[in-house]
Amino acid sequence: MIYLASRSPRRLELLKQIGITEVRLLLDEDEGRAEELEAIRPKESPTNYVERVARAKAEAAWQRLQELQRQDFLAQMAGSPVAEIAATTAPATATAAGATSNGTAASDSPSATPATGASPATRPAPGRLPKGAAATGRNWPAAPLLAADTTVAVGGRILGKPTDEEDARRILKLLSGRSHRVLSSVVVVSPRGKVRQRTQVSRVRFRRLTDEDITAYIASGEPFGKAGAYGIQGLAARFVKKIEGSYSSIMGLPLYETAALLKKAAAPAASKKKTSD
Ligand SMILES: Cc1cn([C@H]2C[C@H](O)[C@@H](COP(=O)(O)OP(=O)(O)OP(=O)(O)O)O2)c(=O)[nH]c1=O
């Protein structure tokens, strides 16, 4: 079982493709917050952008999960002395580490710190759970959490989701007859709070698009909600002359990297010693 911090139906579909069918969605009800964190910062490179956003999605979701698990645990322990101790324990903060990458390079850092042993600023202060007691209840079991972000770039220019038809037209004109990059960054937080991230970069070449192509494509509605205003898995396949990289990554989730990260996050305690998780 994994927690998925994503509204993207493509990501859910892609996870199923690699046999991950037990998926629990962990969504932020405040969509405005997502928009805020997806805003491009001045001088931010496409790689920095996609990695920052993926990490921010994962960290926000992990904090929500921690709180849900804590509440769940308290509800189950209601009335017991354990509940009193746990009630004074602040939720921990996921620690992002080793969160850099380029191309398909892995960015796992063996020095990453589990959230439960975090820095003084994030360490649960007044109380600790008794040894052996997991701060999770039946309803929110311990499981890896996954978040991702996909963006399209032409040179250093980041092309996000189109805001309206005019924006979609502008983006598609930019992509017409040239190559662009699609960057997908995936973040997996282990049940103990260790953050691992990988970023995959693909190159896509579009044929030259006529005004009619663009108008018809926009009318199909497909550009909306997608980075770069297109979906390779849909009608835009007609525009794609060549890809170098990973098809699943262009669609929104690099499956090779995702499978590797999930394997690490689920590694049993014995092998965890070697990887410091
Ligand atoms: C380039 C490309 C992007 N996309 C999609 C994948 C992503 O869903 C979307 C990029 O937006 P994201 O912000 O990465 O994801 P999202 O907003 O859809 O979902 P969430 O933030 O909740 O995880 O673009 C395609 O479906 N096909 C494509 O060919």
Side-chain angles (χ1 to χ4, degrees):
M1 201 276 270
I2 69 156
Y3 292 104
L4 175 63
S6 176
R7 283 177 206 282
S8 164
R10 274 81 54 177
R11 297 203 168 111
L12 196 57
E13 195 185 311
L14 287 163
L15 283 167
K16 280 193 191 134
Q17 191 185 324
I18 53 166
I20 298 159
T21 50
E22 229 190 303
V23 175
R24 185 108 174 244
L25 291 182
L26 193 71
L27 304 176
D28 191 348
E29 271 144 40
D30 182 356
E31 287 196 47
R33 206 159 26 218
E35 268 174 38
E36 208 178 292
L37 70 88
E38 285 183 28
I40 303 163
R41 293 181 180 167
K43 296 194 180 148
E44 196 166 32
S45 72
T47 305
N48 288 348
Y49 171 79
V50 77
E51 293 187 343
R52 172 181 63 79
V53 174
R55 221 160 42 234
K57 285 179 185 175
E59 285 169 14
W62 199 82
Q63 280 181 31
R64 284 199 304 282
L65 178 62
Q66 289 281 290
E67 185 52 26
L68 289 164
Q69 288 178 328
R70 188 169 152 273
Q71 295 298 339
D72 192 22
F73 178 77
L74 289 179
Q76 270 172 47
M77 294 293 159
S80 79
V82 169
E84 276 167 42
I85 300 166
T88 59
T89 308
T93 306
T95 307
T100 54
S101 66
N102 51 47
T104 57
S107 56
D108 306 316
S109 163
S111 63
T113 320
T116 43
S119 66
T122 59
R123 190 180 297 141
R128 281 187 177 280
L129 291 173
K131 232 181 173 180
T136 56
R138 266 175 244 114
N139 299 318
W140 297 93
L145 181 153
L146 187 147
D149 193 69
T150 297
T151 201
V152 166
V154 172
R157 206 155 152 189
I158 297 168
L159 305 173
K161 296 172 194 155
T163 48
D164 53 25
E165 289 191 7
E166 202 185 312
D167 197 30
R169 186 174 296 278
R170 176 190 69 85
I171 295 172
L172 290 164
K173 274 190 170 166
L174 254 169
L175 301 181
S176 170
R178 67 190 298 179
S179 278
H180 63 269
R181 284 180 298 151
V182 181
L183 301 91
S184 276
S185 190
V186 57
V187 176
V188 171
V189 186
S190 79
R192 294 171 69 205
K194 179 166 172 177
V195 182
R196 293 182 173 95
Q197 179 168 29
R198 287 198 189 187
T199 302
Q200 202 286 335
V201 184
S202 296
R203 191 162 277 280
V204 180
R205 174 173 277 280
F206 269 25
R207 70 160 163 80
R208 189 179 285 280
L209 307 180
T210 63
D211 284 347
E212 292 72 44
D213 288 328
I214 293 177
T215 303
Y217 189 54
I218 292 172
S220 76
E222 206 175 271
F224 302 100
K226 299 189 185 74
Y230 75 92
I232 196 165
Q233 69 278 21
L235 296 167
R238 293 176 303 177
F239 305 153
V240 176
K241 244 178 148 173
K242 186 179 176 187
I243 77 164
E244 277 169 56
S246 156
Y247 186 86
S248 61
S249 178
I250 298 166
M251 247 183 98
L253 191 65
L255 287 180
Y256 176 81
E257 289 76 6
T258 298
L261 290 184
L262 288 174
K263 194 172 169 192
K264 284 191 177 175
S271 58
K272 271 179 201 157
K273 276 204 177 110
K274 278 185 231 149
T275 59
S276 82
D277 186 17

